């Protein structure tokens, strides 16, 4: 547990693809998990600089405790590298240009897809190894130290499997949210109660903001 925010990875790329028409949620997961993800891993010039590469597959939940879930999103990919130069190098090679880049058209539409760069602040380790996560998006900036402390208490009180909070900026597409939390759940997490607690604490910290959630299953490649 940390008491104040500090970036864990200097560069964090968050991708929210718009699923290709006709593929559907199950088809997207199948393609990402069994074709595209392994393809990326088999291209060392692409993935060799990654320090994290995690797919998040969205589960079918639309509303809980009055908080709406983000619609029309079926997956979230998070890639972390040690530097912005390393992130650039992951695309500046023949493996990406000839294989990985073209393959992206097999599962996503360019229009509607989103890419963010995020500053991550670790609250408690282990979030990417949780069986399920909550991703909580807001259109406000995090006051890091205060919110990390608040989230740390929630992690302890609910026995959660790690947590991070992130400030983000859009680099591709359009997305109305500039801050999000990643909450690692356990098999016994009371999700409804947890969401209510986070929502109440966030309202005190951020004020009343547009808030959307995703309930996801992470699959970690790196």
């Amino acid at each position: 547990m940390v008491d104040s925010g500090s970036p864990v990875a200097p560069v964090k790329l968050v991708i929210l693809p718009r699923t290709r028409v006709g593929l559907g949620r199950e088809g997207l997961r199948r393609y990402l998990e069994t074709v595209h993800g392994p393809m990326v891993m088999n291209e060392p010039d692409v993935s060799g600089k990654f320090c994290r590469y995690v797919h998040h597959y969205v589960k079918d939940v639309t509303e809980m405790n009055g908080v709406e879930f983000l619609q029309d999103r079926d997956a979230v990919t998070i890639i972390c590298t040690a530097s912005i130069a390393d992130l650039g190098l992951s695309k500046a090679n023949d493996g990406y240009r000839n294989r990985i880049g073209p393959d992206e058209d097999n599962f996503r539409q360019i229009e509607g897809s989103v890419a963010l760069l995020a500053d991550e602040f670790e609250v408690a380790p282990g979030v990417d190894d949780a069986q399920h996560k909550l991703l909580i998006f807001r259109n406000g900036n995090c006051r890091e130290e205060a919110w990390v402390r608040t989230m740390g208490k929630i992690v302890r009180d609910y026995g959660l499997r790690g947590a991070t909070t992130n400030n983000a900026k859009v680099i591709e597409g359009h997305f109305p949210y500039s801050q999000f939390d990643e909450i690692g759940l356990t098999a016994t997490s009371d999700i409804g109660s947890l969401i209510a607690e986070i929502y109440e604490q966030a309202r005190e910290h951020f004020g009343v903001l547009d808030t959307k959630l995703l309930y996801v299953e992470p699959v970690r490649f790196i």
Side-chain angles (χ1 to χ4, degrees):
M1 186 76 64
V2 295
D3 294 323
S4 62
S6 58
V8 173
V11 176
K12 182 173 185 176
L13 177 66
V14 183
I15 303 167
L16 297 95
R18 178 75 72 196
T19 306
R20 184 172 64 82
V21 173
L23 192 60
R25 178 166 290 178
E26 292 183 3
L28 177 67
R29 173 170 186 163
R30 185 165 53 250
Y31 197 89
L32 285 174
E33 190 170 6
T34 65
V35 178
H36 188 75
M39 184 185 298
V40 170
M41 294 299 296
N42 286 332
E43 294 286 349
D45 288 341
V46 176
S47 57
K49 295 295 186 180
F50 293 176
C51 53
R52 263 184 289 165
Y53 177 42
V54 187
H55 290 178
H56 301 78
Y57 303 117
V58 175
K59 312 297 284 186
D60 290 322
V61 183
T62 58
E63 186 275 335
M64 188 178 290
N65 279 28
V67 181
E68 294 182 359
F69 282 66
L70 196 61
Q71 301 299 306
D72 300 324
R73 296 294 167 183
D74 299 314
V76 180
T77 295
I78 292 179
I79 297 168
C80 291
T81 62
S83 68
I84 195 70
D86 285 342
L87 185 62
L89 287 172
S90 72
K91 289 189 172 184
N93 58 78
D94 288 341
Y96 183 83
R97 285 189 291 266
N98 298 333
R99 290 177 287 280
I100 303 304
D103 186 61
E104 292 171 355
D105 291 334
N106 291 323
F107 64 84
R108 67 96 171 93
Q109 299 175 191
I110 294 177
E111 185 176 357
S113 292
V114 173
L116 314 171
L117 276 181
D119 292 323
E120 175 185 273
F121 303 88
E122 185 176 78
V123 176
V127 69
D128 287 326
D129 298 316
Q131 288 187 333
H132 293 93
K133 282 185 184 182
L134 284 176
L135 304 181
I136 306 175
F137 297 90
R138 308 179 187 88
N139 63 345
N141 287 322
C142 171
R143 298 189 296 275
E144 292 89 3
E145 292 189 12
W147 186 240
V148 167
R149 287 195 298 269
T150 297
M151 288 299 303
K153 184 177 186 304
I154 293 173
V155 168
R156 292 191 297 271
D157 290 348
Y158 284 83
L160 299 174
R161 184 69 170 90
T164 67
T165 188
N166 306 265
N167 286 331
K169 63 178 180 180
V170 177
I171 58 172
E172 292 180 10
H174 302 280
F175 197 63
Y177 306 105
S178 58
Q179 194 274 333
F180 69 97
D181 302 324
E182 301 169 68
I183 310 296
L185 304 172
T186 69
T188 59
S189 293
D190 182 346
I191 300 175
S193 177
L194 172 63
I195 289 175
E197 177 68 18
I198 293 173
Y199 192 76
E200 179 179 349
Q201 293 297 330
R203 187 166 48 193
E204 293 183 10
H205 182 85
F206 297 101
V208 178
L209 297 175
D210 180 22
T211 301
K212 295 291 189 298
L213 282 73
L214 286 176
Y215 178 53
V216 300
E217 179 182 345
V219 173
R220 184 169 185 170
F221 290 87
I222 298 174

